[in-house]
Amino acid sequence: MQLFYNPNINEATQEFSFSKEESKHIMKVLRKSIGDVLHITNGNGFLFTAELLYLTPNKCTAQITSSTLQHKRQYKLHLAVAPTKMNDRYEWFLEKATEIGIDTITPLICDHSERKVVKLERFERILQAAMKQSLNCFMPKLNPATTFKAFMAQPKDTVTYIAHCETQDKQSLKQVIKPQTDVTLLVGPEGDFSSKEIALALQNNCIPVTLGETRLRTETAAIVACHSVAFINEL
């Protein structure tokens, strides 16, 4: 099934038109014809079935024929992850986390961060593509990049964990997370969080955790955490 994304449609929508780029793809690549059925999501959990009414390379118009609401996970996962030095590694994390299941992503600028500027528009496109590829009808929320200090100052409405490499008492993430419980997890940059940041996190009631016995790259750690939370909620 080919899934399209349009954030502007809802249950009240009867007809809508695809963008020029999508219209060209529908006609030239997918070779669709008038009367063919397409599937669209608005990223808020709805899967719409639509029938093509009008078809040109510049504009395709479809009529909504039915809609269903996709089952929502019983937990919310927020990963605050430091941007990696190599941008393609962070983009890989965004793609895979969307496929596994994630609700919110915050690029976290830390003391040891080598990359402090991110391209949110490109990140959004990667999230959209991963959502469509995995047939997921929930679009993850991408927050603006924020500093570690500013993130700590924000109100916390979930249990918050920090995964770091310093030698101190830490619990395994898989042992402390509970099913159907919202989770926020912080993952640091190459070089890890600074001692100052770890101390600030502990002052703000963040729970220190380990993701395993080996040292993981930033993007690998984020995916391990994402999968661990998903796995615990499937048991």
Side-chain angles (χ1 to χ4, degrees):
M1 181 175 75
Q2 178 84 31
L3 185 62
F4 291 87
Y5 171 61
N6 189 313
N8 298 317
I9 62 176
N10 54 50
E11 290 179 282
T13 304
Q14 296 181 343
E15 289 185 12
F16 74 97
S17 296
F18 291 92
S19 67
K20 182 178 179 180
E21 181 181 355
E22 288 181 320
S23 296
K24 184 177 180 181
H25 181 76
I26 290 169
M27 186 172 183
K28 299 294 187 179
V29 179
L30 299 181
R31 299 185 180 279
K32 295 293 184 180
S33 304
I34 292 176
D36 283 350
V37 172
L38 298 176
H39 298 90
I40 311 100
T41 181
N42 60 3
N44 293 319
F46 279 96
L47 177 64
F48 299 93
T49 301
E51 181 180 327
L52 280 172
L53 299 176
Y54 178 78
L55 185 65
T56 72
N58 294 325
K59 184 180 180 181
C60 290
T61 301
Q63 179 181 32
I64 300 293
T65 57
S66 67
S67 65
T68 57
L69 185 61
Q70 194 177 70
H71 175 70
K72 195 168 186 178
R73 295 187 303 275
Q74 297 300 306
Y75 68 94
K76 290 183 180 179
L77 175 60
H78 179 181
L79 288 181
V81 183
T84 51
K85 181 179 179 181
M86 301 297 292
N87 207 42
D88 60 340
R89 293 185 180 276
Y90 203 84
E91 293 174 358
W92 178 84
F93 147 65
L94 294 172
E95 179 183 78
K96 301 311 174 189
T98 303
E99 292 177 15
I100 296 169
I102 191 170
D103 298 277
T104 307
I105 300 163
T106 300
L108 196 62
I109 308 304
C110 304
D111 289 342
H112 295 160
S113 292
E114 295 191 53
R115 180 180 294 276
K116 298 181 183 292
V117 177
V118 298
K119 298 179 179 179
L120 292 180
E121 288 185 7
R122 178 172 173 79
F123 286 178
E124 287 279 3
R125 290 197 296 271
I126 290 170
L127 294 176
Q128 289 181 24
M131 177 189 66
K132 292 188 290 185
Q133 184 277 329
S134 60
L135 303 182
N136 179 8
C137 293
F138 290 96
M139 178 74 174
K141 178 184 178 183
L142 178 64
N143 290 329
T146 184
T147 64
F148 186 92
K149 185 177 180 180
F151 190 86
M152 283 294 108
Q154 296 173 4
K156 306 292 188 297
D157 55 2
T158 67
V159 180
T160 302
Y161 303 93
I162 179 170
H164 66 82
C165 300
E166 283 196 357
T167 304
Q168 58 177 249
D169 290 336
K170 292 179 287 186
Q171 302 176 77
S172 169
L173 178 66
K174 291 184 289 186
Q175 293 177 340
V176 296
I177 55 178
K178 298 178 181 178
Q180 300 183 21
T181 301
D182 296 346
V183 172
T184 297
L185 177 73
L186 285 62
V187 177
E190 296 93 339
D192 201 13
F193 293 111
S194 68
S195 297
K196 218 187 265 190
E197 288 171 332
I198 295 172
L200 180 60
L202 298 182
Q203 290 170 17
N204 282 271
N205 300 316
C206 293
I207 301 172
V209 294
T210 176
L211 301 174
E213 296 182 359
T214 59
R215 177 170 290 188
L216 305 175
R217 290 181 180 273
T218 295
E219 69 278 9
T220 309
I223 292 302
V224 167
C226 187
H227 181 265
S228 295
V229 174
F231 181 76
I232 291 298
N233 278 276
E234 289 178 357
L235 296 178

